[in-house]
Amino acid sequence: QAQLVESGGGSVQAGGSLRLSCRGPEHIFVNYCLGWFRQAPGKEREGVATINTDDWPTYTDSVKGRFTISRDNPENTLYLEMNSLEPEDTAMYYCAASGGFCNLDSGDFDDWGQGTQVTISA
């Protein structure tokens, strides 16, 4: 099982920015699709962004133009740059890896981190 560890969460006011990071085993970053998912209280888990091994990103509509997903394979690190944050972005954010499809469906992802909390105040 991959050991994915998120960091960078915190509390920020609306309009602010955060950068989330996720580190894991080298083979995951060389061979896997990587993604960020989030879950807020009372809501189902939502795919935020994914990035395949060719650095092709996919975003959910609500974060397009605000978030940027990237990967640094030599550093075994996945990033999510989050700008213009809104209260609706408040959630636990998880990184995940998929050995197959690279989309926003959580069911395609095999390995998960424990999450990092992002809280946005109005």
Side-chain angles (χ1 to χ4, degrees):
Q1 295 293 117
Q3 291 184 309
L4 300 174
V5 181
E6 303 94 338
S7 63
S11 298
V12 66
Q13 292 187 354
S17 299
L18 286 171
R19 184 178 71 169
L20 306 183
S21 300
C22 174
R23 301 191 68 189
E26 178 180 353
H27 76 274
I28 292 294
F29 286 84
V30 171
N31 297 302
Y32 280 50
C33 164
L34 302 172
W36 289 98
F37 297 79
R38 66 187 181 187
Q39 187 165 22
K43 294 185 177 181
E44 295 183 352
R45 184 166 51 187
E46 175 189 24
V48 178
T50 66
I51 184 166
N52 69 11
T53 53
D54 291 320
D55 286 341
W56 186 268
T58 300
Y59 300 96
T60 191
D61 287 344
S62 65
V63 308
K64 289 179 179 177
R66 300 190 298 121
F67 291 10
T68 302
I69 188 171
S70 62
R71 61 195 294 165
D72 185 344
N73 293 342
E75 295 295 327
N76 300 344
T77 305
L78 172 73
Y79 297 102
L80 185 67
E81 296 276 1
M82 304 188 295
N83 300 313
S84 301
L85 285 162
E86 305 168 355
E88 68 179 0
D89 296 316
T90 295
M92 184 72 73
Y93 283 70
Y94 302 89
C95 66
S98 170
F101 294 112
C102 197
N103 50 42
L104 297 172
D105 295 327
S106 61
D108 294 325
F109 288 75
D110 307 307
D111 301 301
W112 295 80
Q114 295 300 306
T116 185
Q117 179 67 41
V118 171
T119 302
I120 312 301
S121 60

